[in-house]
Amino acid sequence: EAGVTQSPTHLIKTRGQQATLRCSPISGHTSVYWYQQALGLGLQFLLWYDEGEERNRGNFPPRFSGRQFPNYSSELNVNALELEDSALYLCASSWGGGGETDTQYFGPGTRLTVL
Amino acid sequence: AQSVSQHNHHVILSEAASLELGCNYSYGGTVNLFWYVQYPGQHLQLLLKYFSGDPLVKGIKGFEAEFIKSKFSFNLRKPSVQWSDTAEYFCAVNGLGGTSYGKLTFGQGTILTVHP
């Protein structure tokens, strides 16, 4: 069974640009989650999508946004990039609903570097 | 709001030593608890999880964890570590309700180095 996949592996942008990161969940999973792993800040929850809808959002500014497509894959968009957005962005997927036995499985991440 | 604290940033052991990594969480309601591991050069993998029932849960590679509700703790243990256990370990909590729904909150991670 294929795991969560993310693309690209690495992304280099300059300040003020926009970045788009992509995630494909495990087959059958309907929920997709995004996390940021920045140096010194640990893993922080960004967004949760389930069945195409945004279900929860972490403490990040609105320039972090995303969407989930009908095939349950997801995009994370970061607008007006700032130097501190440099981080590893992890995507996770689960069977869905955030229910009492929901378990998140993580992809390898996209390393975003903002110059 | 939920929060997680891991007691040690870096633990160094020799092979065959016993391991216990501390994890405490803060949340006012029902929680799911997880330990994830990140081996060098690999992505985050699930080690074990607790939802309900027996507070002693067993995971992969001989790891186990005990949920002590009164202490808000979920410590990870292994009786005898191997060099291949060298990795970073993350404790995570998912509060079941309110703004915590669906959101994993992670501890800061513990780097385990096992010397052969």
Side-chain angles (χ1 to χ4, degrees), chain A residues 33 35 37 42-45 48 55-56 59 88 90 97-108, chain B residues 32 34 36 38 43-46 49 51 88 90 94 96 98-108:
Chain A
Y33 309 78
Y35 292 82
Q37 189 174 24
L43 274 153
Q44 295 185 292
F45 170 76
W48 168 29
R55 302 294 186 187
N56 201 354
N59 294 327
L88 183 67
L90 296 178
E100 293 182 355
T101 59
D102 219 20
T103 301
Q104 297 179 30
Y105 297 90
F106 285 80
Chain B
N32 288 341
F34 305 85
Y36 286 88
Q38 189 164 28
H43 63 276
L44 210 56
Q45 300 172 37
L46 180 68
K49 57 190 176 184
F51 294 144
E88 188 163 13
F90 294 90
N94 175 205
L96 300 177
T99 58
S100 297
Y101 210 45
K103 164 186 171 182
L104 279 178
T105 297
F106 286 85
Q108 63 270 45

Side-chain angles (χ1 to χ4, degrees), chain B residues 26-91:
Chain B
S26 172
Y27 184 72
T30 305
V31 294
N32 288 341
L33 295 159
F34 305 85
W35 276 96
Y36 286 88
V37 59
Q38 189 164 28
Y39 297 104
Q42 296 186 29
H43 63 276
L44 210 56
Q45 300 172 37
L46 180 68
L47 201 54
L48 50 77
K49 57 190 176 184
Y50 172 81
F51 294 144
S52 64
D54 188 344
L56 187 62
V57 292
K58 295 190 184 299
I60 60 172
K61 305 187 179 186
F63 285 91
E64 64 179 30
E66 185 177 12
F67 171 49
I68 304 179
K69 190 175 181 181
S70 60
K71 295 184 177 180
F72 297 91
S73 70
F74 189 55
N75 293 352
L76 181 70
R77 299 195 291 247
K78 186 172 184 179
S80 177
V81 295
Q82 301 173 316
W83 176 79
S84 58
D85 294 325
T86 294
E88 188 163 13
Y89 293 80
F90 294 90
C91 180

Side-chain angles (χ1 to χ4, degrees), chain A residues 11 23 27 76 79 93:
Chain A
L11 189 58
C23 172
S27 178
L76 174 69
N79 293 320
S93 73

